[in-house]
Amino acid sequence: MRILLDKFSKSFGTTKVIEGMDLEVGSGEMLALLGPSGCGKSTTLFAICGIHRPTSGRILFGDKDVTGLPSQERNVGVVFQSYALYPHMTVAENIGFPLTVRRLAAADIRKEVAEIAALVHIDNLLDRRPSQLSGGQQQRVALARALIRRPDVLLLDEPLANLDAKLRLEMRSEIRRLQKETGITAILVTHDQVEAMSMCDRIAIMKAGEIVQIATPSGMYNDPRSAFVAGFLGNPPISFLKGRAEQGAFVFANGIRLSLAILGGIPDGTVLTLGVRPEHFGTSGDIAVDGKIAFAETQGRENLYDVILPDGSVLRSIQSVRNDVAVGDAVRWSLDSKAALVFAEDGRRL
Amino acid sequence: MIEKTRVSANFSSVPVVLLLGLLSLPLVLIYAYLFIDTISNSDAGSLVPSEFTLQHWSFLWETKPGKPNIWLVTLNTFVFTSVITAVILLVSSMAGYVLSRLNVPARGFFLAGVMVLHAFPSVTLIIAIFIVLQYLGLYNSLLGVILVKAAIDLPLGIWLMKGFYDTVPWEIEMAGIVDGASRFTVWRRLVLPQIRPAVMALGLFSFLSGWSEFILPQVLAPGAQVQVLSVYLASLIADDNNFDFATFKAVGVFYVIPVLILYVFFQKHLMNIYGGGTKG
Ligand SMILES: Nc1ncnc2c1ncn2[C@@H]1O[C@H](COP(=O)(O)OP(=O)(O)OP(=O)(O)O)[C@@H](O)[C@H]1O
Ligand SMILES: [Mg+2]
């Protein structure tokens, strides 16, 4: 079911958290809300499931305005960051609770619980209590509880934050599989860009209560609208260089010039920020850049280098493992100028 | 919950036990004599009982002249105590939740009010209460004194419950609401079970407090038909004409038996309210 936020605003007392947000999530789509801590992701989620009333604006499910509808009547499944399982109930009772409060017959509930438990692979744990489960198992229980009454909308608030790296990887594909199998519309809140890029159809990046860009993961990565977005996506992160435009060249503070074709048409003297992703600086490219290796780190398959340029700024480079350079060496590596991103002083992409 | 005492190799518990035993010996003796005196007669000035007798316990099967029947008094005490416990549990568990979780108007005022009421010495109100009850026609009735005692004990109960509710995570409630449960169902099925040990402890606490209450029934319900055990007990020594110390002791033992039974069975829950732990 389609979700539409129309000029949605939310404030707590005098603190404005969200102002005039417009967001549309298509039916069956999985959207990531990505942003730094405190930017209002959870607030948005809680407004969609009805725990917070919007201060103004509308929330629509399909064509139905649910703004004034209490949570109980919205048919939303939510997985909370802390899972919020009911500690005094068994796993089966936890999963069946949404049906129990609807007064379904016990036999039907048992059947549905068994079905959904099999879907998330916890059918052998039904008699345990939440305290007797591992983090990943608790997470599956929370997911099963959210899915059991076939909600129109599934909301996930940082569901993987408490898991270890391996389990996180596993649950990532698991959640995506379930979402595809059930065809449910889902919103995933996260501040982990890898999670957002690998699990979702589209990403909405938020900053201080506003959505700064919505795009597909690859679209967002290759075509960020601002330096903030570019800095948020990518691991290891993009590096930024500060300078000026001068006759189609990028000029550092100390006068060193890089001639870049993409700077054509930008007036001389404009203050610029150049964004270079680590994979666009290294062995291949069209412009040579001199520098000194300040830091090297191996990630197994690849090496990560920090190169200090003569003016003091740092370029990151990621390349396949090599042993011929070490920290302290002067290097002359090439930069792929066509892939560099140019931002204005205020962070806008040019 | 119950920690087993482990005897460690480099620490012998014998001296400690000896010392504590010695120190508490006078207390043990007092209790022992309290009991021995109720089932025996001794010669004047002697500590050693001279004969076994059940005459001091005769209040159980014959009603003393001018006194109410002991079983009626016991029944009154049970009614008094149980109703108070029920009222306190019901009201505190709900009021505590409201004060802890719901956005009611003047919440701060109510919180402060409950605190002040708890700190207020209730005895100073007794004359006013007496007059009010008399005016309402509730003087010398169990109902009247139950209402007063429950009202006086409620602030503590509400405050305690609020404290325990504060420790229950918000997410549990949010999850319940999103799962489609009404606020009442959320409270009843999800939140209340989290603080069950505290409810248990408060129940016991109220029961003991009601059982041992003396001043309020003495002043507000002294009549023979509505007497409770503490008042009955006091009337035994207040009676100058046939002063019977051994019977007084026997009634005292009788009075304390239910309390002992409660302590034996529910000790662990009672520790909860003093320790403040919620893990059940
Ligand atoms: N009940 C509340 N009263 C007042 N301010 C609140 C309340 N809830 C949230 N806020 C504020 O709203 C802002 C956004 O909070 P929110 O929980 O939505 O952040 P978030 O994006 O989910 O962050 P995180 O990634 O840390 O979970 C924060 O600055 C927070 O302090
Ligand atoms: Mg959050």
Side-chain angles (χ1 to χ4, degrees):
Chain A
M1 184 171 286
R2 177 190 74 137
I3 308 170
L4 183 75
L5 299 188
D6 179 22
K7 304 209 175 45
F8 157 65
S9 302
K10 174 74 196 172
S11 32
F12 295 102
T14 52
T15 359
K16 290 190 175 127
V17 178
I18 312 266
E19 258 193 290
M21 177 195 276
D22 291 311
L23 176 68
E24 178 165 6
V25 187
S27 189
E29 185 185 30
M30 183 148 175
L31 178 104
L33 271 185
L34 183 62
S37 196
C39 69
K41 305 181 297 283
S42 301
T43 308
T44 310
L45 214 64
F46 287 156
I48 295 174
C49 67
I51 290 171
H52 289 335
R53 283 285 148 84
T55 315
S56 66
R58 294 187 310 153
I59 299 172
L60 275 77
F61 286 1
D63 292 322
K64 191 169 156 218
D65 189 341
V66 297
T67 318
L69 220 56
S71 238
Q72 288 92 336
E73 291 163 35
R74 288 199 190 184
N75 201 21
V76 208
V78 182
V79 176
F80 292 87
Q81 180 171 353
S82 57
Y83 307 148
L85 300 179
Y86 311 131
H88 59 293
M89 297 183 181
T90 64
V91 167
E93 286 165 340
N94 260 284
I95 300 177
F97 186 75
L99 301 185
T100 315
V101 296
R102 293 177 170 193
R103 300 181 199 289
L104 260 67
D108 293 344
I109 296 180
R110 226 171 305 129
K111 199 172 119 266
E112 298 256 342
V113 167
E115 234 169 71
I116 204 94
L119 191 69
V120 297
H121 308 312
I122 47 167
D123 24 359
N124 53 339
L125 304 173
L126 288 179
D127 297 326
R128 302 238 196 128
R129 294 200 182 260
S131 58
Q132 301 165 324
L133 300 178
S134 75
Q137 291 165 339
Q138 291 184 16
Q139 214 265 341
R140 284 163 203 258
V141 176
L143 204 55
R145 188 181 64 188
L147 288 173
I148 191 160
R149 60 201 170 126
R150 311 185 194 291
D152 300 326
V153 173
L154 179 65
L155 305 177
L156 307 144
D157 192 355
E158 306 196 22
L160 306 177
N162 295 330
L163 304 182
D164 67 53
K166 184 168 167 290
L167 204 56
R168 206 181 286 198
L169 216 66
E170 202 175 296
M171 289 311 295
R172 226 152 70 186
S173 39
E174 189 86 337
I175 291 177
R176 182 60 163 162
R177 172 181 70 88
L178 283 170
Q179 188 263 333
K180 282 222 166 113
E181 255 169 51
T182 48
I184 196 170
T185 310
I187 298 184
L188 170 80
V189 160
T190 174
H191 46 226
D192 178 354
Q193 44 104 8
V194 182
E195 226 168 88
M197 292 182 68
S198 59
M199 288 170 74
C200 297
D201 299 309
R202 281 194 308 157
I203 300 178
I205 291 202
M206 285 183 69
K207 180 187 181 185
E210 274 174 44
I211 293 183
V212 289
Q213 187 173 359
I214 302 188
T216 59
S218 61
M220 180 90 75
Y221 187 80
N222 298 322
D223 189 16
R225 195 175 292 163
S226 68
F228 175 80
V229 175
F232 219 93
L233 289 189
N235 185 26
I238 194 168
S239 19
F240 291 111
L241 305 174
K242 299 225 175 288
R244 271 172 309 114
E246 211 165 83
Q247 291 156 6
F250 182 83
V251 182
F252 289 100
N254 62 358
I256 294 182
R257 305 166 62 98
L258 294 177
S259 48
L260 296 179
I262 43 173
L263 289 187
I266 294 176
D268 284 3
T270 317
V271 178
L272 297 175
T273 303
L274 197 65
V276 182
R277 294 205 185 272
E279 63 269 29
H280 297 138
F281 176 60
T283 47
S284 66
D286 50 349
I287 302 178
V289 178
D290 290 306
K292 206 167 108 185
I293 298 181
F295 172 81
E297 175 190 278
T298 183
Q299 298 188 338
R301 199 154 27 84
E302 284 153 336
N303 280 2
L304 178 66
Y305 299 100
D306 281 5
V307 176
I308 295 202
L309 306 189
D311 77 317
S313 49
V314 176
L315 272 182
R316 263 179 289 268
S317 166
I318 193 157
Q319 340 182 339
S320 35
V321 171
R322 57 193 278 186
N323 295 318
D324 54 337
V325 288
V327 174
D329 290 358
V331 290
R332 187 183 179 91
W333 281 344
S334 18
L335 189 151
D336 186 356
S337 69
K338 288 180 296 300
L341 304 167
V342 183
F343 303 99
E345 196 177 8
D346 60 0
R348 237 170 354 98
R349 173 94 179 279
L350 293 175
Chain B
M1 198 81 212
I2 302 167
E3 278 147 40
K4 298 248 159 58
T5 355
R6 259 184 236 118
V7 185
S8 67
N10 53 6
F11 176 75
S12 165
S13 54
V14 176
V16 178
V17 169
L18 265 181
L19 186 71
L20 285 179
L22 215 64
L23 283 177
S24 33
L25 201 62
L27 270 177
V28 175
L29 271 180
I30 291 171
Y31 283 123
Y33 266 97
L34 174 66
F35 182 68
I36 292 171
D37 280 355
T38 65
I39 52 164
S40 64
N41 282 328
S42 357
D43 298 326
S46 163
L47 276 180
V48 187
S50 56
E51 56 165 351
F52 173 79
T53 174
L54 283 178
Q55 89 187 62
H56 307 311
W57 286 89
S58 64
F59 68 92
L60 288 181
W61 51 85
E62 54 194 37
T63 305
K64 297 256 155 49
K67 299 254 175 295
N69 182 305
I70 183 73
W71 296 111
L72 174 70
V73 175
T74 310
L75 178 71
N76 282 344
T77 317
F78 265 107
V79 170
F80 177 71
T81 312
S82 320
V83 174
I84 283 172
T85 307
V87 169
I88 288 183
L89 280 187
L90 197 72
V91 177
S92 314
S93 60
M94 290 184 165
Y97 180 76
V98 168
L99 286 179
S100 166
R101 286 299 157 89
L102 301 188
N103 203 359
V104 283
R107 181 165 162 271
F109 170 78
F110 279 117
L111 275 177
V114 166
M115 202 58 181
V116 168
L117 280 180
H118 172 48
F120 201 79
S122 50
V123 189
T124 53
L125 294 174
I126 206 150
I127 306 290
I129 292 173
F130 176 84
I131 294 170
V132 171
L133 284 193
Q134 191 133 41
Y135 187 74
L136 291 174
L138 287 175
Y139 173 69
N140 230 343
S141 74
L142 265 184
L143 178 64
V145 72
I146 283 173
L147 285 179
V148 172
K149 171 69 177 160
I152 285 175
D153 275 7
L154 264 177
L156 174 68
I158 294 176
W159 194 259
L160 270 172
M161 286 297 107
K162 183 208 169 271
F164 280 99
Y165 280 124
D166 284 346
T167 66
V168 178
W170 264 110
E171 276 83 10
I172 287 192
E173 259 170 272
M174 294 185 179
I177 299 246
V178 180
D179 281 347
S182 68
R183 202 66 197 253
F184 181 80
T185 310
V186 166
W187 170 74
R188 178 66 201 79
R189 303 275 308 272
L190 301 180
V191 180
L192 201 55
Q194 311 302 324
I195 62 157
R196 224 189 48 173
V199 173
M200 200 74 179
L202 179 64
L204 281 166
F205 193 78
S206 307
F207 194 90
L208 292 177
S209 158
W211 191 260
S212 57
E213 180 60 45
F214 168 62
I215 286 288
L216 293 176
Q218 167 76 3
V219 177
L220 304 176
Q225 286 311 300
V226 292
Q227 234 170 50
V228 293
L229 273 170
S230 58
V231 177
Y232 180 87
L233 191 60
S235 73
L236 282 181
I237 32 170
D239 196 346
D240 290 335
N241 297 330
N242 33 26
F243 185 79
D244 181 352
F245 211 66
T247 299
F248 177 70
K249 286 181 183 172
V251 175
V253 171
F254 178 75
Y255 179 43
V256 87
I257 288 174
V259 176
L260 290 181
I261 293 176
L262 270 188
Y263 261 107
V264 167
F265 282 103
F266 296 108
Q267 201 198 52
K268 144 181 145 189
H269 296 281
L270 265 174
M271 296 319 284
N272 243 326
I273 211 156
Y274 302 116
T278 44
K279 212 142 181 275

